[in-house]
Amino acid sequence: MSDAAIRDRVRGPGTETVLIAGFVLIVLGILWYGISMRQQVLRNSTTGFDGLQAWLSSEGLSAQGFSGGWQIDQSTIGLLVLPIYDTRPGKVRPTPETSEELLFQQDENDLTYDLIRDKARRVDALIALPKWRSAMRLEDVGHPELRVEAGRLDAMLRQLTGIPAARLSYSGEAFTTFSYRTGAGRSLTAEIYAAQLFDAPGCKPMIGRPGAMLLADCPLAGGKGQRRVLVLSDPDVFNNHGLRLGDNAFIARDLFRKRAGDRNILIDYSLSNWLREPRNTARRERTWADLKRFFSPPFTLLWVGAALTLGLFLWRAARRNGPVRADVLGPGASKTVAIAARARLMRLADQDGAMVKEYARARVAATAAAMVGPAEGHRIAGSDAFLQYLRRRHPDFAEPLAAALSEIERLPQRIGANEAMQHVDELERILEQITHDT
C-alpha cells in the first residue's frame, strides 16, 4: 500500500464530513431555538399568563411559569394553572398553508384529555379554557368573530367535567362585570370583554352565577374518587390581556392566595406530565462526598505534587523567550554554540583582532568546503593549502587573498571595531569573487 493511501486511511474525518456534521448541528439548533421561542412568544402574548406570574410574585406569592424539562415534586404545588390552547385535545391540529389560515386557526398546540386530567388529579388545578384564535395573539386584535367555535368548547366541558348538560354561552354586552367578595369581606368587580360563560349542573360558581358562570368549582371526569377542579371559561380574567381590566388583578391575588397558601403556584404550559410524587422522585446514587474522598489522604499528596508540577511547568513556559530555534537542533549544533560563545568572550575581552583572525580561518575553511565539497575540503582548509590550490586553479585571486590574510595575521590582539570590520569586508569581497568565479 502506498504512503498516500496509508495517509488517507489514518487521516480521519475529511472536510466534507466536518461540514455536513456542522450543518446538521446548526439545523438542530435552529429547530430547538424556534420551538423554544414559539413557546416563549405564546407566554408573553396577549393570551399568555406570564403577566399573572409577575403580578403574583410582586405581591409576595410564589409563582412560576413552566414549559417542561425537569421533574417537579407535586407536593410543593399549591395550585396548578393549566392554560389550554387546544380546542380538540387528542387530535393533531392541521398545519396552516396560508396567512389567512394561520390567523384563523383555533389551536396553538396539541394536548390530550388524559394528560389534562392526569395533571388535575395529582394536585389542585385551575383549567383555563381557550377563547381566541391565533389572530388575537398575532395581530393584537380582539373581536367576537375571532373567538373559537363554541361547539368545540361544549365538547371540552363535557369531557373534562363529565357533565352531559354542560354548555357554553356568551354575554350580549361588550364589557360585562361580575362581583367578587374577598376573604376579608371586600367587594371587587371583575370586568371581561366579550365574556365567555358556561353552565354545568353540579358546578359551584365562584365568579358569576348559576347558568352564567365565569369561574366555578366542578367535578373532574374520569378516575376514582370525587376529585374537583376549578374551571375558568374565559381566560381573559387572568391572562395578559385582561389582567389589567377592572379588579381582575386583585381578584387573582386573593383567589390564588386562598387556594395555594404558602405553596407554589405553577403555570404549566408543558405538553407532558412532569409532576412526580416524592417517593417516585429520582434520587442520585452518588453525592459530592464520593468525589471528596479522592482529595483526602493519601490522595492529598498526589494532588499537591501535581499542583507543584503544574506550577513549575507554567513558570518554565513563561520564562522561555520564544520557541526553540530550529538551527540549534540541527547537525553541528554544539560546534555552532561553541563558536558563538568563543566570539562573545573575545568581544567582552576587547580582543577584536584575535576574533578577526579566527573568523578568517573559519571563512577560508568554509570556502574550501564549498568549492571542492566537505569530503575533500578539510585537506585544503588551511590558509597555505588553500592558497596553493588557488595558484593552480585561480591564480588571479591567489595574491590578493594572500595579502589580505597576511594583513589579518599581523593584526594585534586589540584593535578598533572599525578597523576590524574593514579587514573583514576586504576578506569577504575576495572570497565572494572566488566563489562566484568558480
Side-chain angles (χ1 to χ4, degrees):
M1 183 180 293
S2 64
D3 294 341
I6 294 176
R7 286 196 300 270
D8 291 339
R9 294 187 61 180
V10 302
R11 185 178 300 166
T15 305
E16 296 180 355
T17 304
V18 174
L19 291 176
I20 293 174
F23 177 76
V24 171
L25 291 176
I26 292 174
V27 171
L28 293 176
I30 293 175
L31 291 175
W32 177 84
Y33 178 78
I35 294 173
S36 60
M37 285 303 297
R38 175 180 174 83
Q39 190 75 359
Q40 189 64 35
V41 168
L42 181 62
R43 294 171 55 169
N44 293 333
S45 67
T46 53
T47 58
F49 283 77
D50 273 7
L52 175 65
Q53 173 195 345
W55 164 249
L56 296 178
S57 298
S58 67
E59 293 296 312
L61 280 76
S62 175
Q64 174 188 359
F66 181 69
S67 297
W70 63 88
Q71 295 182 357
I72 295 182
D73 183 358
Q74 64 190 40
S75 64
T76 64
I77 299 176
L79 182 64
L80 183 69
V81 180
L82 295 174
I84 307 299
Y85 297 97
D86 186 3
T87 59
R88 293 191 299 179
K91 296 184 178 180
V92 179
R93 58 193 173 99
T95 302
E97 298 181 355
T98 63
S99 299
E100 183 177 358
E101 291 181 358
L102 176 62
L103 292 174
F104 283 90
Q105 72 174 355
Q106 304 188 63
D107 303 329
E108 297 276 11
N109 52 30
D110 291 319
L111 296 173
T112 62
Y113 284 114
D114 290 339
L115 174 64
I116 299 172
R117 285 193 289 257
D118 186 34
K119 291 181 179 181
R121 277 194 293 266
R122 291 175 177 269
V123 295
D124 291 336
L126 184 151
I127 300 176
L129 301 182
K131 179 179 179 180
W132 299 105
R133 299 173 186 256
S134 297
M136 174 62 173
R137 174 178 61 86
L138 297 174
E139 300 293 337
D140 289 336
V141 175
H143 191 276
E145 292 296 329
L146 298 180
R147 292 182 297 202
V148 298
E149 295 179 6
R152 297 189 178 191
L153 298 182
D154 289 341
M156 181 179 293
L157 277 171
R158 296 174 187 132
Q159 287 283 348
L160 293 176
T161 62
I163 302 175
R167 62 181 181 84
L168 196 76
S169 62
Y170 295 107
S171 172
E173 302 177 357
F175 288 92
T176 308
T177 58
F178 300 88
S179 60
Y180 176 84
R181 185 168 295 277
T182 67
R186 179 185 175 189
S187 180
L188 300 176
T189 301
E191 184 176 359
I192 308 296
Y193 169 72
Q196 181 174 273
L197 311 173
F198 77 104
D199 180 28
C203 292
K204 302 177 182 179
M206 301 182 66
I207 302 179
R209 63 182 186 279
M213 294 179 290
L214 192 62
L215 176 66
D217 184 306
C218 299
L220 180 65
K224 299 180 181 179
Q226 298 297 323
R227 188 70 178 180
R228 301 185 70 84
V229 65
L230 298 181
V231 176
L232 179 65
S233 61
D234 196 321
D236 287 350
V237 181
F238 301 136
N239 64 14
N240 300 336
H241 165 64
L243 196 64
R244 66 182 185 274
L245 299 179
D247 297 327
N248 296 356
F250 301 102
I251 294 175
R253 181 185 62 185
D254 180 77
L255 176 67
F256 291 142
R257 178 173 284 126
K258 288 191 300 185
R259 301 291 299 198
D262 296 332
R263 292 188 294 173
N264 191 33
I265 300 169
L266 187 68
I267 305 174
D268 188 2
Y269 301 90
S270 65
L271 306 182
S272 302
N273 187 5
W274 297 92
L275 302 178
R276 292 293 181 269
E277 296 182 5
R279 65 175 181 273
N280 293 333
T281 302
R283 296 183 179 179
R284 297 181 176 87
E285 297 181 359
R286 302 291 184 181
T287 64
W288 288 109
D290 297 320
L291 181 61
K292 187 178 179 181
R293 290 189 295 108
F294 292 97
F295 294 90
S296 59
F299 299 106
T300 305
L301 294 178
L302 296 177
W303 286 110
V304 171
L308 293 176
T309 303
L310 178 61
L312 178 62
F313 172 79
L314 295 177
W315 176 74
R316 289 296 301 161
R319 292 288 298 174
R320 194 177 73 185
N321 184 17
V324 178
R325 292 182 299 177
D327 56 345
V328 175
L329 302 177
S334 60
K335 184 177 180 180
T336 302
V337 172
I339 293 174
R342 185 175 180 182
R344 180 172 178 81
L345 290 174
M346 288 181 178
R347 290 288 302 173
L348 293 175
D350 197 19
Q351 296 184 3
D352 290 343
M355 185 173 65
V356 171
K357 295 176 184 179
E358 293 291 339
Y359 177 79
R361 297 187 188 101
R363 287 292 293 123
V364 169
T367 304
M371 294 177 65
V372 300
E376 299 293 334
H378 69 281
R379 296 181 181 180
I380 59 174
S383 299
D384 295 337
F386 187 65
L387 287 173
Q388 292 177 5
Y389 172 79
L390 288 181
R391 289 187 179 100
R392 293 194 305 268
R393 300 295 181 92
H394 308 282
D396 295 339
F397 302 108
E399 293 307 323
L401 179 61
L405 292 175
S406 178
E407 291 181 4
I408 292 175
E409 289 297 330
R410 290 196 299 267
L411 291 175
Q413 295 293 325
R414 297 183 179 182
I415 61 173
N418 292 334
E419 183 179 357
M421 289 302 302
Q422 291 176 1
H423 289 284
V424 171
D425 291 341
E426 179 65 18
L427 177 64
E428 288 292 342
R429 184 184 63 80
I430 297 173
L431 292 178
E432 184 177 359
Q433 290 177 350
I434 295 172
T435 303
H436 289 171
D437 185 68
T438 57

